Every structure is written in structure tokens, then in C-alpha cells.
Amino acid sequence: AWRHLRGNRYRRAAQRELKAAYRCRHAAPPGEAPFAAQASRILRRAALVHYPSREVAALCAEQWLDFLDRSAGLRVFREGPGRALADAPYNPGSQPDDAALHDACRQWLRRHR
């Protein structure tokens, strides 16, 4: 049980950070990264803890979304609200559904193997 708790410490830390970013998404000063960019960074850090860096570090855009879906058995990144992780940083005028993106990220943090 102790090994399981210690091994999943990074998940709990990422979940807390994701929750804080979601709560403060409207209070961010102008020019600060939108929630989608913050969420992508949080998931990438968690993935780098769990998977070998050679599998994760160079992934971007579609490959990153494919990895997230495949590693957790989901379909919310390529075909759903998680798509904002790849689109929002390059489209500053976009208005992604932050609540749905938050849920998708929480699912990945719970389910990836």
C-alpha cells in the first residue's frame, strides 16, 4: 500500500496543480498562459514522471493528443475538448470549454497506465 501511495504522488500533485489552475483561470493577469496551455504543461510533467522521456518529450500537436488518448484509453483529446491542448496556444482568440478540458485532464491523470 505504501509503495502504491508513493508511486502515485506525482498524480496527486498534478491533480492539485490542475485544480488550482482551473480555479484561477479567470484571475490570471493579461498575457499569462490560458488554462489550456497550463493544463498541457501539467500533463506533460506528469507524463515525464511516469513514462520514459524518449517517449514523451518530443511529442507535440497531434502526436501529443494521440499519446494522451492511447495511454489512458480515452477519446477526448483527439476528438473532444482535449483538442484545445494543441489548438489554443496557437489560436489566442479561441474560447475552449475550460470545464470540459478540466474534466478530460482529470480523467487522464486518473486513468493513464
Side-chain angles (χ1 to χ4, degrees):
W2 176 251
R3 218 174 302 156
H4 176 73
L5 280 174
R6 260 186 45 206
N8 284 307
R9 189 178 335 171
Y10 77 95
R11 288 182 202 253
R12 292 188 304 276
Q15 288 169 342
R16 283 191 303 272
E17 192 175 349
L18 184 69
K19 185 176 183 178
Y22 180 69
R23 274 197 209 140
C24 298
R25 69 192 184 282
H26 298 299
E32 182 141 332
F35 176 68
Q38 292 176 351
S40 187
R41 281 195 302 273
I42 293 165
L43 294 188
R44 187 171 299 273
R45 279 196 307 270
L48 286 167
V49 169
H50 188 73
Y51 299 96
S53 64
R54 69 182 180 283
E55 289 181 27
V56 178
L59 299 177
C60 59
E62 300 302 318
Q63 293 172 335
W64 174 233
L65 299 179
D66 284 339
F67 168 81
L68 292 171
D69 277 340
R70 188 178 59 252
S71 62
L74 299 170
R75 295 181 68 174
V76 296
F77 290 97
R78 288 269 309 183
E79 301 173 9
R83 177 136 205 96
L85 296 181
D87 296 343
Y90 304 105
N91 188 0
S94 69
Q95 295 293 322
D97 183 350
D98 287 344
L101 176 58
H102 180 247
D103 288 341
C105 293
R106 287 179 48 225
Q107 283 182 51
W108 185 84
L109 286 168
R110 281 194 311 267
R111 295 176 59 172
H112 74 274
R113 300 282 174 239

